[in-house]
Every structure is written in C-alpha cells, then in structure tokens.
Amino acid sequence: MKKLFQTVCETTINAPKEAFNLHDWVFTLSDKDYQTTARGHIAAGSSIHTDGTQTSVNVESVGGNLLVQHYVAEAKEPDYIKMVSMSDLWLMKLIHIVVKVTWEMRLISVSKNECKFQNTVLVEHPNFIMKILSALALGGYFVRKHNEEETPLFAKNLYERTFKEKV
C-alpha cells in the first residue's frame, strides 16, 4: 500500500482522559450524532460480522467524493482506538475504487483535569497512479479540512455523551 495522504488534528477536552471510553463511544455513536459532527457525514451505524467482529459503517462525502467505510477495530482501549477499513470510494461520485483507510483516535493526558483528543486519518492505495490522481484532485487538502471540522465536534460529542450518561 502507498500512502496517499495522512492528517492529524487535535483539540482539548476539559476532563481527564480516564473519564472516557473511545471504543464504547465510537461503536454506540448514533446516526444522528455522526451527522452533526461534520457537514459531509451522511450516515453511520454499527454491525456484527458473522465471526462476531464488531464493525462501524460510515458514509460520508469528502471533497465531492463519496466514501462508504467498513471499519474493524484493530486496537480498542478506552484511550486509544485504531480502526481499519477497505473503503469504497467513488471519485467525483462516478469512478469506483477501493482505498484502505486507517482511523485512529487517542486521548492524551495534558493535566489532571484536561486531555487532548487526537484524530488521525491515513488513506492508502496500492497503485502509484492513485497517489498522482489524489494529489491532482487535492485529496489531501479535502481530507485535512474534513478532519479539522470533525475533530472538535467528535470531542464535544464524546464529552457530552460521557457526562450526560453519568448524570
């Protein structure tokens, strides 16, 4: 696989990282909550494969391209989750290809009462020509802008759902 682009965004949460469980949050994120965390978020849901593996299915539009992602968690800790998807991508909603998307979220302690929410997206494809095409289509720019929008909204949703549920 060749890296097409990667983006990392962070935002501060005014609570200790021990208050949160990223795995539980991402796999119980409602369709409506997902839609409110970025303009390009169309739909989300969770399901179980026949082997019992939990999946998160996300549908989104990034830079005019439609993605359907089928994430499986490779790491699932309360403060770190790494999910990988062989994602269906329709370039300009016309040309279908499959890309590998790795989505990582982590909570990093800043102080006793504060942490950082870090959101990383890596997109890969085996064909070098896709690296050239994605650069020409400004794919990295659009994914970065999307990540910059969703990161603080994901953190806000994580905070609100965590503390709403504890009340």
Side-chain angles (χ1 to χ4, degrees):
M1 287 288 182
K2 293 172 182 34
K3 179 166 94 171
L4 300 181
F5 34 83
Q6 181 174 14
T7 176
V8 180
C9 293
E10 294 181 342
T11 192
T12 301
I13 301 177
N14 291 317
K17 78 175 189 173
E18 293 77 19
F20 305 104
N21 187 320
L22 289 174
H23 176 262
D24 288 350
W25 169 74
V26 79
F27 282 100
T28 59
L29 189 64
S30 74
D31 187 44
K32 183 173 173 30
D33 281 345
Y34 180 75
Q35 291 169 2
T36 64
T37 56
R39 286 184 301 274
H41 288 174
I42 298 166
S46 293
S47 88
I48 306 290
H49 282 300
T50 54
D51 67 0
T53 305
Q54 196 171 21
T55 65
S56 174
V57 179
N58 299 346
V59 180
E60 61 187 334
S61 177
V62 178
N65 302 302
L66 183 67
L67 288 118
V68 178
Q69 298 151 331
H70 314 271
Y71 288 110
V72 174
E74 288 189 353
K76 45 186 176 180
E77 303 298 326
D79 63 345
Y80 173 70
I81 188 164
K82 177 181 180 181
M83 301 195 301
V84 177
S85 169
M86 294 310 290
S87 299
D88 294 295
L89 167 63
W90 284 269
L91 292 170
M92 306 314 288
K93 299 182 180 130
L94 296 172
I95 302 166
H96 178 257
I97 61 168
V98 175
V99 293
K100 179 180 178 184
V101 179
T102 303
W103 181 24
E104 293 178 273
M105 291 175 282
R106 65 176 29 108
L107 297 168
I108 303 162
S109 284
V110 174
S111 69
K112 190 171 97 171
N113 296 315
E114 186 177 84
C115 66
K116 284 193 185 214
F117 175 85
Q118 184 181 77
N119 188 18
T120 303
V121 177
L122 169 64
V123 181
E124 299 172 287
H125 189 274
N127 191 326
F128 182 75
I129 202 77
M130 280 304 300
K131 187 166 183 73
I132 296 166
L133 291 174
S134 67
L136 291 172
L138 302 175
Y141 168 80
F142 289 115
V143 170
R144 181 175 49 81
K145 296 306 278 179
H146 181 82
N147 198 5
E148 289 171 354
E149 178 186 10
E150 75 182 3
T151 297
L153 295 172
F154 275 152
K156 178 179 182 232
N157 184 275
L158 172 64
Y159 180 89
E160 289 173 352
R161 287 194 36 227
T162 297
F163 287 102
K164 177 178 155 186
E165 291 172 8
K166 292 184 177 182
V167 174

